[in-house]
Amino acid sequence: MLSRFVRGAAVASILPLLAGCNLVVIDPSGDIASQQSDLIIVSTILMLLIIVPVMALTVFFAWKYRQGNKDAEYDPEWHHSTKLEVVIWAAPLVIIIALGAITWVTTHTLDPYRPLDRIDAERPLAKDAEHMVIEVVSLDWKWLFLYPEQGIATINELAAPVDTPIEFRITSSGIMNSFFIPALAGQIYSMAGMETKLHAVINEEGVFDGFSGNYSGEGFSHMRFKFHGLSQDGFDAWVEDVKSDETFLGRPQYLELEKPSIKEPVQYYSSVDPELYQAILNMCVDQSKMCMNEMMYIDQNGGGGLAGIYNVMSLTYDVPQMRGSQPLPDSKSFVATLCTAPDGGFSSEIANLPLFDNVQESSAMSVAPVGVSAGF
């Protein structure tokens, strides 16, 4: 990859053309973004190896074979040159092979789900190095950041210590958005009911812009936040500042926060319900709703009745079959009863009723707090 000197030279060479532009993508402050910048510069240079000569030769041929140039060679019988064909096809082929190889390597090296193996180009990451987890939720139209290790949360403000690996866990309350801090790393989508990840590190102190890179409605243009790269002492002081706010973020508070709003100011929460992020991810912050992981586990174990059993019946995947085209099994597996535990938490009870041939019980199943019965 390019050294800082080469990157700096590349930036300096295009400054006159981009005087009014923000060059953070070309000269970022995080290692992942720096590697992505190298990829952009290398790819651009490789493509210019063809583009520049073609543009120059276009001007040259137009000038040489102009109508007024009587000294230019005139050969109306010329139709083929093997040497010229080799040059015309070999050069693009070599460039395409080089671009393909670089893309293959960087696609795996810069996979956002791949844990970091270095702090920067000169410092490998120690095997026992600690990393920070930050949970990101895109709302309409604001960003919620949860710090499970610190027990705090913020709205539209993000901070992290420099040279500390960060694992972002990203989801959405509804509409798809894109989490993007150009100085840190590339953009990653946030989607409701799904979790995406991003591993990154910031190498320089400073305040950097973050925003949504995916249009999501009326308040999209104001869906911005500041990312603070701080020293460890500065980050510790920032955490203490957040904790001094003495505001709790639980399920009721989140349901109010989730409502659409525009230009939401920075907010701090000194304590957070530790199960809030998982509830957001599984779309069941409202406790009257069953969580997605609960629904999936119920379906995995036979569903809530006849329709559920048909949905999870085994299929022969090497022979195309319609789901539900096989006969019912002799041994029926189903969920007979879902109820609330005495302590108000999630639990499950499978009723052993003589009406059924066989009832399979799973102690790992959790269900909605409202009692529900299902069966044939």
Side-chain angles (χ1 to χ4, degrees), residues 52-373:
V52 171
V54 167
M55 295 177 66
L57 288 172
T58 299
V59 175
F60 172 74
F61 289 138
W63 173 80
K64 181 176 181 180
Y65 296 103
R66 67 193 185 277
Q67 184 177 6
N69 185 10
K70 304 302 182 180
D71 296 328
E73 297 179 9
Y74 176 66
D75 188 1
E77 302 299 326
W78 183 91
H79 67 282
H80 178 75
S81 171
T82 301
K83 293 181 179 179
L84 187 59
E85 290 285 347
V86 169
V87 172
I88 290 174
W89 290 106
L93 180 61
V94 170
I95 291 174
I96 290 172
I97 292 173
L99 282 172
I102 293 171
T103 302
W104 172 267
V105 172
T106 53
T107 296
H108 292 84
T109 303
L110 301 177
D111 181 355
Y113 284 75
R114 181 175 180 265
L116 302 181
D117 57 10
R118 72 183 208 181
I119 298 298
D120 56 33
E122 300 176 353
R123 292 178 292 172
L125 183 66
K127 293 183 178 179
D128 58 348
E130 296 183 358
H131 67 277
M132 172 183 294
V133 175
I134 301 178
E135 297 164 340
V136 181
V137 182
S138 62
L139 305 168
D140 293 336
W141 286 274
K142 47 195 170 284
W143 291 96
L144 170 63
F145 302 107
L146 305 167
Y147 290 75
E149 296 161 349
Q150 289 76 25
I152 61 174
T154 61
I155 295 292
N156 288 343
E157 184 174 279
L158 180 62
V162 297
D163 296 337
T164 298
I166 309 170
E167 177 186 345
F168 292 100
R169 300 172 183 174
I170 307 167
T171 190
S172 172
S173 65
I175 299 175
M176 183 171 71
N177 276 284
S178 178
F179 176 68
F180 190 21
I181 305 174
L184 183 69
Q187 60 179 322
I188 303 296
Y189 284 109
S190 64
M191 294 166 280
M194 300 177 65
E195 180 182 83
T196 51
K197 291 185 178 181
L198 171 65
H199 290 84
V201 60
I202 191 71
N203 301 121
E204 299 177 10
E205 293 186 35
V207 181
F208 310 98
D209 290 324
F211 53 89
S212 172
N214 189 77
Y215 180 72
S216 59
E218 180 183 358
F220 159 76
S221 59
H222 300 288
M223 202 169 172
R224 297 176 173 271
F225 62 92
K226 294 296 183 181
F227 171 53
H228 299 263
L230 305 170
S231 65
Q232 186 60 56
D233 291 340
F235 177 73
D236 293 339
W238 179 83
V239 171
E240 290 303 317
D241 186 37
V242 175
K243 288 185 175 181
S244 66
D245 195 78
E246 297 185 357
T247 304
F248 175 70
L249 179 61
R251 291 173 183 252
Q253 293 81 7
Y254 173 82
L255 291 174
E256 286 297 317
L257 183 66
E258 189 183 39
K259 297 177 180 178
S261 61
I262 299 176
K263 293 185 178 180
E264 194 72 22
V266 173
Q267 300 177 41
Y268 293 156
Y269 297 93
S270 58
S271 57
V272 182
D273 181 346
E275 297 181 355
L276 180 60
Y277 176 75
Q278 286 300 319
I280 298 171
L281 176 61
N282 287 288
M283 305 178 73
C284 58
V285 178
D286 182 349
Q287 290 185 296
S288 66
K289 299 178 180 179
M290 182 178 289
C291 295
M292 286 180 57
N293 59 342
E294 297 165 354
M295 295 180 189
M296 290 185 284
Y297 195 84
I298 290 172
D299 282 341
Q300 179 185 343
N301 286 271
L306 184 61
I309 292 179
Y310 269 105
N311 284 335
V312 298
M313 286 175 60
S314 61
L315 297 176
T316 305
Y317 287 98
D318 56 345
V319 178
Q321 295 189 36
M322 292 288 292
R323 187 176 291 274
S325 63
Q326 297 174 332
L328 285 171
D330 294 334
S331 177
K332 300 182 179 66
S333 173
F334 63 95
V335 177
T337 303
L338 311 179
C339 60
T340 308
D343 60 359
F346 292 136
S347 68
S348 67
E349 294 182 1
I350 308 299
N352 295 318
L353 303 177
L355 175 62
F356 303 101
D357 299 323
N358 179 35
V359 178
Q360 297 180 358
E361 180 174 356
S362 174
S363 60
M365 190 186 303
S366 59
V367 299
V370 179
V372 181
S373 294

